[in-house]
Amino acid sequence: MTLQVAATGRLTSEQVRSALRAATLAPSTHNTQPWLFASGPGGIEVRADPDRILPVADADRRELLLSCGAALFNLRAAIHACGVHPVVTLFPRRPEPDLLAVVRPVGGASVDDRLARLAREIPRRHTNRSPFSTEVVPPAVVGLLRHAAELEHAWLPRLDHGQVAGLKELVRTSHRIQMNDPAFVAEWQRWTARDRSSRDGVPMSAGGTPPAGDAWVLRDFGTRAAGSLRPGPAPEPLVVVIGSFGDDHLDRLRTGQAMQRVLLTATALRLDASFISQPVEVAHLRERLRVLLGGGVWPQIILRLGHGSPAAPVPRRDLEEVVVAPTLLTA
Ligand SMILES: Cc1cc2nc3c(=O)[nH]c(=O)nc-3n(C[C@H](O)[C@H](O)[C@H](O)COP(=O)(O)O)c2cc1C
C-alpha cells in the first residue's frame, strides 16, 4: 500500500513524498535515522525520534540534532528544486523539544537556485571510508566549503599544521577511550555489522580498508575483521572541523544543516567525505579540541575529504516508517 501524504502549500503530494525521500538520505550517526516527519495542509513537521537516541555515544542528543539538521537541509533543498520556497521555523513550540522544525512551502517568495542545484547531489552523497588518493584539495575548494558552512551560520576554521597534529592525537586518544568502554562498544556493535535485510545501521559493506602507519583513525565497521582488504596508502587527506558559535539545541540543529551543505558542496565538487567523530563524542576531549581551535567555536563535526574509491549507498527505512500524523500543522 502506498503511503498517503498530504499536498502541502504549493507542493503536490508526489512532490512532498519526493522531498521527504530526499530528507531521509541525510547522513546520521551509525545510520540511526533519528527523524520523523509529518505533512499536513499547513506544511511539513520535522521531529526527532526519541526511540533512536544513542544513550552512550550521544547522551545529550548533539549528534541526533546534527543528523536531523542534515535531513532538514535536504528537505529545504528538495523543495527549492520543486520551484517552491520553504519558510522554516526552528523549534516552533518551546515546550516540545522533539518538534525540531516546521517547513511551510509558500508561493511568491524567491527560489534559491544554489539550493536547487545542491538537491541533485543528495542521492550521490555517500560516506566514503576508503583510503583517499594523494591528490591535494586546492585552497580554492576549501574556500567554497568554508563559504557553504558560513551560509548556514556555522564556521569552518583554517587549521594550521600544529592544530592538525593536535587533532590527530585527539582522534587517537578518543578512539582508544571509546574502544575500551564496554558500553560504547556494545551500543556501536548493535548498530553495525547488521544483516543484509536491515534498513538501518551500518552494513559491513560500508566499512573502509584499515589505515596504515600514521593515518587518521577511522571506525572499523566490520570489513577489517573479515581480513579481505589489505591496508591502503596513508596520504594526508583534508580534515576540517565544523563549529558553531554556541552549543544549545538551536546551534546544533543549525550546524547539522551547515554540515549537510558542506557535504553536498563537496559532492558537487567531486570530493568524497567521511566522518571522524570520536573526539567530539568524548566530552573532555571535545573541550580540549575547543581550546586547540582557539576557544571561540564549539567543535561539532570533523570531516575527512579527498578522493576515494566509489562507495555504495547504505539502506534507509521506508517512508511508511518515518511519516507520522502531524501535531501542529493540522490546518
Ligand atoms: C553526526 C554524525 C556523526 C558520524 N560519525 C561517524 C564516524 O565517526 N565514523 C564513521 O565512519 N561514520 C560516521 N558517520 C556517518 C554515518 O555512519 C553515515 O552517515 C550513515 O551510516 C549513513 O550512511 P551515508 O552517509 O553513506 O548515507 C556520522 C554521521 C553523522 C551525521
Side-chain angles (χ1 to χ4, degrees), residues 22-102:
T24 65
L25 294 180
S28 61
T29 319
H30 297 356
N31 198 21
T32 47
Q33 305 166 46
W35 41 64
L36 294 169
F37 305 95
S39 86
I44 298 168
E45 298 175 4
V46 180
R47 311 186 66 88
D49 184 344
D51 292 341
R52 289 178 168 260
I53 290 171
L54 294 169
V56 183
D58 193 33
D60 66 352
R61 298 165 39 122
R62 198 182 55 79
E63 291 189 346
L64 174 141
L65 289 169
L66 293 177
S67 305
C68 290
L72 173 59
F73 184 84
N74 280 5
L75 188 61
R76 285 169 50 206
I79 293 173
H80 277 285
C82 293
V84 174
H85 183 91
V87 174
V88 179
T89 312
L90 302 180
F91 294 105
R93 266 192 192 161
R94 287 282 165 183
E96 244 190 280
D98 287 341
L99 180 56
L100 306 181
V102 292

Side-chain angles (χ1 to χ4, degrees), residues 25-31 63 66-67 125-127 129 201-202 219 221 259 275-278 281 301 312 314 316:
L25 294 180
S28 61
T29 319
H30 297 356
N31 198 21
E63 291 189 346
L66 293 177
S67 305
R125 183 216 58 84
H126 310 297
T127 300
R129 301 178 181 86
V202 187
R219 280 187 179 139
F221 285 98
M259 173 185 81
F275 299 71
I276 313 177
S277 297
Q278 298 94 320
E281 288 174 356
I301 198 77
V314 304
R316 291 297 192 274

